[in-house]
Amino acid sequence: MISQTPIRPGDGRYLFRGVMVGDGHRAAGTSLSAAQDEAGVPPSVWKGRGLAAVGLAAWDVVTERQAELLLGEGRHPDADRIECERLEAGDDPAKARRATVLGRPIEHNRSPKTEKAKERVPWLGMHLVFRPPPTAHIAWALMDDEVRRVLELCQDTAVDRTLEWVGESVAQIRWGSGGKRRRQIRDGLIVAVFRHYESRAEESKPLLHDHALVSIRVRRPDDKGTWGNLSADSTLAHIVAADTLYILFFMEEVSARLGWAWEPREVTPGRRPVMEIAGIDQRLIGWQSTRRQQIEEALFVLTADYVEEHGHAPGERAAYGLACRAADRTRPPKRKELRSLSDLRMRWRESAIASFGTDVVDRLAERARAAAAAVWARVRPVVDIVLAAVDVTAVVYVMRGAFKRHHLLAEARRYLSYVLRGRPHQPGLDERIVQAVIDDYTRPVGRGLMMTADLRALYPRDTEDQTVLRPLTRKRTAPLYARARLAAGALRARVHAARRSERLGSRARPHIVAVPGASRSGPRPSRPDRKAGRDQVQQGTDVAALEQTRATIEAVAKMAVKLQDGVRERAVARGPRPQPAPSAPAPSHTQQPGVQQTPGRTPTGGLA
């Protein structure tokens, strides 16, 4: 998952003294590289397509001075050299310093001339934390070094691809008077990535994760290439969509490189499941997630207080706020003891063996491969666009009521992770599912980009069933996600029933199997045309029905062959029967030479 916090002026000490050295404690006078070596964490590196604009390259090592200038002051990473050159050229100190600032200086927000200066706290960046699922931490910590390196490579790839999507499809720069307009950035993001190996629990536990410090300074898409500020609100609105994309990429990389499969695990009854590596002993998750256990205990108390105060269970937004409060209450102090990765892995292995035995730890990879074979055997890598669109519509509608496109995009990526279980998806498949939802099953709400589910589109013929989703949105006795899954199941059953009636009514309209299925694109049709368009879309892929039809045809063919064999055996047992005198056949029924009838089939090709 991805968590986010802003970077403001004054946060440099926390970043440079703690985050950059593995959440440890760096003594005064110790260089950043020396502190990272002592802590056993790799050196931090630069990433992003916007590095060329400041004279950096991907995978360059981040120095402390570069981080202080860019992330602490909003200046060029090489500001010291630029300022010296300007002073030597004859510029006054103020002008030389202004030449090193990227965009508007942070002092502008503190000026009394600035409107609402006291209320403005400028952002200098965003602090994103990328954490893979718990079973990935377990495999990374307890398996051999080869698996560890592969999982670290999977983490690198997933983080890079997610940051690339944020920079190309999400990141916008404020434009015009008051920054009300938004435009795409010119080059890309500038990100400093720091890798950590352990959690902040009192007893150190494995937690492979990356801290990505995204600079808010980006270039405008104009001829001059001037610098401005990243639109934080548009970026933060897509954090959940980026989170689901990161998990999807990580799952695909692990399955492609290690051959493992994934399966959903319900952490809290009635809440969204978490995708985990199939075959990993679930007891190890409790051993690894001691910090989570502390949070859950505090969350239980906070939730009980919320129910007593409000009279009902918290919704999705309130539950997230309670979880953040529980994490803050149980946050332990940072450790001061520095440990290398090899030392940590040895301690983790000894702790796991002492808790669960050598057999459980040594056979992790073997059981993961066996579980993957079972998952691949029963789960087919087929995505039905129509069923995916119906599922996404029902879940997002019940969970939110009114929603935007990025909410649909996040749910579509969750759907792909549940269906494919780590198999790769075609590029743009998530966007196609979202577009199918918007075209066929939604209607606009109010002004702006808000929309909601169109119940008439979901139930085009039966008006009495249009109210099937409304009681689920108001039923507070069941968890919100459980209600969403009930609604999705009802709509999926509706689609299957419509497809069965179409197959029984006309054999000339077979379902077309495609991976993935086709989705209708183009402008939103008018109300009369949408019904016909849905009838065409519902002739999408139905793999289960096709397999059942094929199996039925084969069974009928085998039965026909057995019946004919039985007839021949009975005829041989009874002996020859008297035959009538042959007569001249009718010209229309004369068999052409060279043409033989196929046993078990009629001349028209139907089953006998």
Side-chain angles (χ1 to χ4, degrees), residues 14-27 30-41 194-196 335 338:
Y14 167 76
L15 296 175
F16 307 144
R17 295 291 177 182
V19 172
M20 294 185 181
V21 290
D23 282 336
H25 178 76
R26 179 161 60 119
T30 306
S31 64
L32 176 62
S33 58
Q36 290 175 338
D37 291 340
E38 293 178 0
V41 296
F194 304 83
R195 172 154 296 175
H196 293 176
R335 62 175 178 83
L338 303 178

Side-chain angles (χ1 to χ4, degrees), residues 340-501:
S340 63
L341 178 59
S342 59
D343 184 24
L344 289 173
R345 281 170 53 84
M346 181 179 64
R347 294 190 182 190
W348 292 333
R349 182 176 177 83
E350 292 175 355
S351 174
I353 291 176
S355 301
F356 307 104
T358 307
D359 181 71
V360 173
V361 177
D362 290 342
R363 298 184 61 188
L364 282 176
E366 177 185 350
R367 291 173 177 171
R369 288 191 295 268
V375 171
W376 300 142
R378 73 174 187 271
V379 179
R380 303 194 61 185
V382 177
V383 177
D384 190 320
I385 297 293
V386 177
L387 294 181
V390 168
D391 192 284
V392 170
T393 304
V395 172
V396 177
Y397 172 68
V398 176
M399 297 286 288
R400 305 191 65 88
F403 44 84
K404 292 185 178 181
R405 182 184 179 90
H406 58 82
H407 299 123
L408 298 173
L409 187 60
E411 191 60 36
R413 289 166 176 172
R414 292 191 188 100
Y415 180 87
L416 292 177
S417 64
Y418 298 155
V419 172
L420 297 178
R421 304 295 180 91
R423 291 185 175 96
H425 70 283
Q426 291 186 359
L429 180 56
D430 49 355
E431 297 283 354
R432 294 175 58 189
I433 295 175
V434 171
Q435 193 61 43
V437 173
I438 296 175
D439 288 344
D440 299 330
Y441 303 122
T442 61
R443 59 181 177 85
V445 176
R447 300 178 180 178
L449 303 177
M450 298 296 294
M451 65 188 86
T452 188
D454 190 352
L455 300 183
R456 294 183 180 180
L458 294 171
Y459 290 96
R461 299 181 182 90
D462 196 347
T463 57
E464 294 180 358
D465 289 340
Q466 291 180 11
T467 59
V468 69
L469 298 182
R470 291 194 180 100
L472 295 173
T473 61
R474 303 184 181 96
K475 185 179 180 183
R476 293 189 177 274
T477 57
L480 195 59
Y481 185 72
R483 287 179 262 160
R485 294 313 314 165
L486 290 174
L491 294 180
R492 288 170 65 90
R494 188 79 175 180
V495 173
H496 283 300
R499 289 177 174 179
R500 283 195 298 270
S501 63

Side-chain angles (χ1 to χ4, degrees), residues 37-167:
D37 291 340
E38 293 178 0
V41 296
S44 49
V45 295
W46 291 107
K47 292 185 178 181
R49 294 190 173 183
L51 293 173
V54 292
L56 298 173
W59 296 99
D60 284 352
V61 176
V62 179
T63 65
E64 184 176 5
R65 183 56 180 166
Q66 290 175 341
E68 288 177 352
L69 291 171
L70 181 62
L71 301 173
E73 302 177 10
R75 301 169 63 192
H76 195 285
D78 201 9
D80 294 338
R81 179 187 59 82
I82 296 175
E83 189 173 1
C84 290
E85 292 178 353
R86 290 282 184 158
L87 291 175
E88 293 177 357
D91 291 345
D92 59 274
K95 186 176 180 180
R97 178 181 175 81
R98 180 66 182 84
T100 64
V101 177
L102 303 180
R104 179 176 295 175
I106 59 177
E107 292 81 4
H108 174 80
N109 294 306
R110 303 174 183 174
S111 173
K113 299 180 181 180
T114 304
E115 182 183 2
K116 298 181 180 179
K118 295 182 180 179
E119 300 179 6
R120 290 188 177 183
V121 180
W123 283 31
L124 294 175
M126 288 178 290
H127 181 187
L128 307 180
V129 183
F130 294 80
R131 291 189 296 271
T135 47
H137 308 314
I138 296 170
W140 169 81
L142 301 180
M143 293 188 186
D144 55 27
D145 286 336
E146 182 179 357
V147 174
R148 175 185 64 83
R149 288 190 292 267
V150 171
L151 289 175
E152 291 177 359
L153 180 60
C154 295
Q155 172 74 352
D156 289 333
T157 306
V159 171
D160 292 346
R161 295 179 67 182
T162 304
L163 290 175
E164 181 179 355
W165 175 78
V166 172

Side-chain angles (χ1 to χ4, degrees), residues 268-333:
T268 304
R271 299 294 178 88
R272 294 184 187 274
V274 178
M275 299 304 295
E276 301 286 4
I277 300 174
I280 301 295
D281 197 322
Q282 300 295 310
R283 295 175 298 173
L284 290 171
I285 297 178
W287 165 80
Q288 183 265 341
S289 302
T290 55
R291 173 90 170 105
R292 177 179 294 275
Q293 294 174 4
Q294 298 172 358
I295 295 176
E296 289 179 351
E297 292 175 358
L299 181 61
F300 179 80
V301 177
L302 293 175
T303 304
D305 295 341
Y306 182 93
V307 173
E308 182 179 358
E309 180 181 356
H310 297 83
H312 59 82
E316 185 178 17
R317 182 173 299 179
Y320 177 77
L322 294 176
C324 293
R325 290 173 56 187
D328 293 337
R329 287 188 179 184
T330 58
R331 186 181 299 275

